[in-house]
Amino acid sequence: MAEAKKEKPVSKIWPVIKVLFSTASKKYPMFFVLEAFKTLVEIMQPFLGIIISPLLVDELCTSRNIKTLVTYATILILGECVLILLVERCNMTLQKYQMRMDNYFSMLLGERSMGLDFQLTEDKAALDQLEKAKTGMTWYSGGVYGVSEQVFMFIGNVVKIVGFVTLILMHAPWLLLVIVGYIAINSFITSKRNSYEIMAFNRLSRTNRLFGYFGWNIIDFRYGKDIRLYDAADMMTARWNKNTDENISAYKWQADKTYSCVLISSALSLIKTIFTYYYVGRLAILKVFSVGIFTQMISAASALDATLGGLVWNILELQKRCNYAYEYVKFME
């Protein structure tokens, strides 16, 4: 247990992916095929609007040919509908796989628990590790589905960033520098926020076990006679209140720590947005490019900002989720 605490969360990513993905791929190989297809569709989604919208705007500002306008609008609307339907369909099927895999990994965990040496069934460290494995694979990491979503989203975001950067470099290169600077600062803030959430998990892992015990196990009618026999109602209520206070305290600590990070991120986003509209709008007024390209640059900048932020979030979220799921991997060793 002491060694596990010294390990950095980033070092746990590969061991978790290796164990979870290899185990899941043997049981449900089509899950990863579907994830890859959904990622491809999600890559196409922002580029459809970014490429078609400028053509539509420029046509409105120039010849206004009805046939051309209708064609562009049809491509944009139908394309968006088809892509959204494909993503939603993939999500529905993936969520079915999620339930199946959650049950499958719970079964593997149950088999491992039943195989523990008898003396470990009352060992506090072993029971704590078991509870961490359960909560790490359900509440916090999201299991194979939660980890794989971050991995595939990361890949998709990298591909999208390459496309957005290419478009911006062609027309407004200084805008790219501002966005990258904003993301660099915001990444540091997000990293701090993420570290607080990981620390909060360590605080909650013990109280969650007690929460399950007091909230579900002990209130079973089978134990009612024992509580009455030993006149333990007041004691159990006091213990429940104490554990609830500890839970609330842990969540409050997390909220207090992350609140300032949220405020700073919002302020940075506002400054970046103001500069984006000023810089791109000035270029459009000076007729460096058309109104259609103006809309394209605004869309591309917004999409790049969101995607870069999403990429950073993917990395930190993957690190966090694997940090949680690592408890399952440890227990299954």
Side-chain angles (χ1 to χ4, degrees):
M1 297 293 291
E3 293 181 359
K5 291 181 180 178
K6 295 180 181 178
E7 293 182 84
K8 294 181 179 180
V10 70
S11 67
K12 302 173 183 178
I13 294 177
W14 174 244
V16 170
I17 291 176
K18 181 180 178 182
V19 171
L20 298 191
F21 282 28
S22 61
T23 304
S25 62
K26 294 175 184 176
K27 186 71 174 177
Y28 301 107
M30 286 303 297
F31 170 79
F32 296 99
V33 175
L34 198 59
E35 278 280 16
F37 177 73
K38 189 186 81 166
T39 301
L40 179 62
V41 176
E42 288 177 335
I43 290 172
M44 297 169 61
Q45 278 185 303
F47 289 103
L48 178 64
I50 287 174
I51 293 173
I52 301 297
S53 294
L55 300 176
L56 188 61
V57 172
D58 282 340
E59 186 64 29
L60 283 169
C61 294
T62 55
S63 59
R64 299 186 181 182
N65 184 285
I66 299 299
K67 184 178 179 180
T68 304
L69 289 172
V70 170
T71 301
Y72 289 150
T74 301
I75 294 173
L76 185 61
I77 295 170
L78 289 181
E80 288 283 358
C81 289
V82 170
L83 293 177
I84 291 172
L85 286 172
L86 286 174
V87 170
E88 290 303 314
R89 179 59 183 172
C90 288
N91 282 331
M92 288 177 61
T93 307
L94 287 170
Q95 286 168 9
K96 293 178 182 178
Y97 274 112
Q98 179 188 14
M99 295 178 64
R100 295 172 186 172
M101 288 190 297
D102 285 348
N103 292 334
Y104 178 63
F105 277 86
S106 294
M107 181 190 72
L108 295 178
L109 182 64
E111 291 179 352
R112 179 72 178 90
S113 301
M114 294 300 292
L116 290 174
D117 292 337
F118 180 74
Q119 65 269 22
L120 294 177
T121 58
E122 295 299 328
D123 181 73
K124 182 180 183 302
L127 293 176
D128 283 342
Q129 186 60 46
L130 173 60
E131 185 62 28
K132 286 182 179 180
K134 288 180 181 178
T135 55
M137 276 294 285
T138 52
W139 290 12
Y140 300 106
S141 72
V144 177
Y145 175 80
V147 174
S148 65
E149 280 284 292
Q150 297 305 317
V151 171
F152 282 93
M153 284 171 62
F154 173 84
I155 296 171
N157 282 336
V158 169
V159 176
K160 286 189 282 188
I161 285 169
V162 173
F164 298 144
V165 167
T166 302
L167 285 172
I168 293 174
L169 281 176
M170 291 170 58
H171 302 287
W174 284 105
L175 180 60
L176 182 64
L177 184 63
V178 173
I179 293 174
V180 170
Y182 160 73
I183 293 297
I185 299 173
N186 198 49
S187 298
F188 173 75
I189 297 170
T190 305
S191 178
K192 291 291 293 182
R193 181 179 177 181
N194 200 63
S195 66
Y196 292 138
E197 292 179 356
I198 291 175
M199 286 188 280
F201 164 75
N202 293 330
R203 291 184 171 207
L204 286 168
S205 60
R206 185 186 72 84
T207 56
N208 276 337
R209 178 185 167 194
L210 294 174
F211 184 85
Y213 175 73
F214 287 113
W216 277 270
N217 295 346
I218 203 66
I219 62 174
D220 191 288
F221 71 93
R222 292 175 297 172
Y223 306 118
K225 60 181 180 181
D226 296 321
I227 294 176
R228 290 196 301 270
L229 178 64
Y230 294 103
D231 195 21
D234 291 340
M235 181 189 72
M236 300 306 298
T237 301
R239 288 295 300 167
W240 168 259
N241 290 335
K242 182 176 182 296
N243 188 68
T244 301
D245 290 341
E246 289 179 0
N247 267 278
I248 294 173
S249 175
Y251 282 116
K252 184 180 183 302
W253 177 87
Q254 179 181 342
D256 290 341
K257 288 291 186 180
T258 58
Y259 182 65
S260 59
C261 296
V262 174
L263 290 179
I264 295 172
S265 294
S266 299
L268 288 173
S269 179
L270 176 62
I271 295 171
K272 184 267 306 174
T273 301
I274 292 172
F275 177 84
T276 298
Y277 277 90
Y278 169 77
Y279 175 60
V280 178
R282 186 170 183 274
L283 292 177
I285 292 172
L286 295 175
K287 297 184 178 180
V288 176
F289 45 63
S290 67
V291 177
I293 298 300
F294 167 79
T295 62
Q296 185 182 64
M297 289 298 98
I298 293 296
S299 299
S302 177
L304 178 60
D305 176 23
T307 307
L308 281 170
L311 186 68
V312 173
W313 182 77
N314 289 149
I315 296 171
L316 296 174
E317 190 71 12
L318 182 62
Q319 175 181 311
K320 183 170 65 177
R321 288 175 182 266
C322 288
N323 183 62
Y324 301 152
Y326 188 70
E327 302 295 340
Y328 177 92
V329 174
K330 279 177 54 183
F331 186 78
M332 296 299 289
E333 289 177 347

